[in-house]
Amino acid sequence: YFIQSNLSHRMSSQNLDKVFSYIDEHKEDLIKHLAKCVAIKSVSAWKENRPEVQKMVDHVANMIEVLGGTVEKCDVGVQKLADGSTIPLPNVILAKLGTDK
């Protein structure tokens, strides 16, 4: 509630109308994009899917870049598993989108 209330104070109803109109006009494309995202098995707790987690990181980084943002993918090392083996952790995204003040 707080976030919604706080957001509504900063955004005029005219701006919100534009957002909702955009969503309505692009609903099919947004649904297709969401379907692509959820098809990537990116649950990081499943070690066998760790490559898929990195695939999602790369996908999100690309989305930010397409929108005109800048992206840095940072290597945060490896995870040591209970059996003593290690697997790479997925990169962390540091990004900047827009220059609002």
Side-chain angles (χ1 to χ4, degrees):
Y1 171 76
F2 172 75
I3 293 172
Q4 183 180 11
S5 175
N6 194 19
L7 180 63
S8 65
H9 288 297
R10 293 187 313 210
M11 293 185 74
S12 71
S13 63
Q14 183 181 23
N15 286 339
L16 285 174
D17 288 343
K18 288 179 184 178
V19 170
F20 293 134
S21 291
Y22 179 88
I23 291 169
D24 288 341
E25 291 169 15
H26 297 88
K27 185 167 109 174
E28 294 302 317
D29 290 334
L30 293 169
I31 290 170
K32 287 177 188 174
H33 182 74
L34 180 59
K36 286 181 188 177
C37 289
V38 298
I40 299 172
K41 297 177 181 173
S42 58
V43 178
S44 64
W46 301 337
K47 69 178 185 177
E48 63 276 4
N49 286 348
R50 194 55 63 87
E52 290 292 297
V53 176
Q54 185 59 50
K55 182 177 176 182
M56 179 56 82
V57 168
D58 295 338
H59 177 75
V60 171
N62 183 60
M63 287 172 40
I64 294 169
E65 290 172 335
V66 166
L67 291 170
T70 58
V71 172
E72 180 181 354
K73 291 186 278 185
C74 302
D75 182 349
V76 290
V78 296
Q79 176 183 4
K80 186 175 182 179
L81 303 176
D83 66 3
S85 64
T86 59
I87 58 173
L89 287 164
N91 293 141
V92 171
I93 296 174
L94 299 177
K96 182 177 180 182
L97 183 60
T99 56
D100 297 347
K101 296 196 183 230

